[in-house]
Amino acid sequence: ILVNELPDLDVAILGPDPICATEISTLVFPIVSGLAPFNLNLLDGSNPITLNVDAAGLIGGQPYQVSPSLTTTYTLVSVSDANGCAQNLNKNETLTVNPLPLVNITGDNEICDEDISYIYFNFSEGTSPWIIDYNVNGGITQSTPALSNILDSISASPSTTSTYTFLSVRDNNGCESNLTDAATISVNQLPEVSISGGGEICDDGSKIDRRGG
């Protein structure tokens, strides 16, 4: 009597862990016992899926790609092999997903030349500190200092009306989001005055008449 051993697979995260939302990682399914190919039932979070696993623990010769939007646990439920043997499983791996940073930017203002204005940042996603790339009037790309507070700001004191265009935000996890926000600071120039006059007066305020006579 030939007794075939029960199939058994494991699960491992081969790709990067953690990842940022929208990024890709990969899983592999190392063979513990049984004869390939295997039909593997697993839960992708709470979603059931079935995969055909080859002798290398891969899917069609490649690691299994995953790109969850939230931290997700992959749980092996059951497996059957080429011998027709089957076994329930209870193994899992959790892939950590960091959210993309999100920020609301305000700062439209009107000031006088030499005054200071502020641009305000309200962060709703991501991990402190955040850094934002921007340009002024389409010029070279600059970066804010590290912004550590959920509500934070930078100062600006342009000498002429200027538009600050915000390009991207990245957080302490290295996750990055593109931005389309802009803030315009309108600058009113300081008033100028021209003064004319002169001449001579007496101590009592009367004018001096230098005409001959």
Side-chain angles (χ1 to χ4, degrees):
I1 299 174
L2 178 61
V3 178
N4 295 312
E5 60 185 349
L6 292 176
D8 191 8
L9 301 185
D10 207 344
V11 56
I13 297 172
L14 180 65
D17 179 26
I19 62 172
C20 301
T22 73
E23 292 183 341
I24 294 173
S25 189
T26 55
L27 305 178
V28 293
F29 307 96
I31 310 304
V32 179
S33 61
L35 180 65
F38 301 86
N39 283 324
L40 176 64
N41 296 310
L42 70 153
L43 293 175
D44 178 344
S46 60
N47 300 316
I49 59 174
T50 300
L51 300 175
N52 187 268
V53 180
D54 61 27
L58 305 175
I59 311 301
Q62 299 295 325
Y64 180 58
Q65 290 192 346
V66 293
S67 184
S69 58
L70 300 171
T71 294
T72 299
T73 298
Y74 299 88
T75 304
L76 305 189
V77 176
S78 64
V79 61
S80 61
D81 70 357
N83 289 322
C85 299
Q87 178 174 219
N88 292 330
L89 301 173
N90 187 18
K91 302 177 181 181
N92 61 71
E93 282 285 352
T94 298
L95 176 63
T96 300
V97 180
N98 294 316
L100 297 179
L102 293 176
V103 60
N104 182 53
I105 302 173
T106 56
D108 288 345
N109 198 10
E110 185 175 357
I111 62 172
C112 294
D113 188 16
E114 301 180 6
D115 284 349
I116 296 175
S117 187
Y118 292 90
I119 297 171
Y120 299 94
F121 306 99
N122 184 355
F123 297 97
S124 56
E125 289 284 0
T127 300
S128 168
W130 298 268
I131 294 176
I132 295 178
D133 290 340
Y134 68 97
N135 65 50
V136 181
N137 296 331
I140 61 171
T141 298
Q142 307 175 53
S143 297
T144 65
L147 303 168
S148 299
N149 303 307
I150 291 177
L151 297 176
D152 220 320
S153 65
I154 59 172
S155 61
S157 184
S159 58
T160 59
T161 295
S162 298
T163 297
Y164 293 73
T165 301
F166 299 93
L167 309 173
S168 63
V169 54
R170 58 188 178 277
D171 71 358
N172 196 51
N173 291 321
C175 298
E176 185 168 348
S177 296
N178 292 328
L179 299 175
T180 57
D181 302 76
T184 297
I185 300 175
S186 301
V187 179
N188 297 314
Q189 298 304 309
L190 296 176
E192 296 183 2
V193 60
S194 177
I195 300 175
S196 61
E200 298 179 57
I201 61 173
C202 297
D203 188 43
D204 62 1
S206 59
K207 294 182 180 180
I208 299 175
D209 186 354
R210 294 187 176 278
R211 291 175 297 175

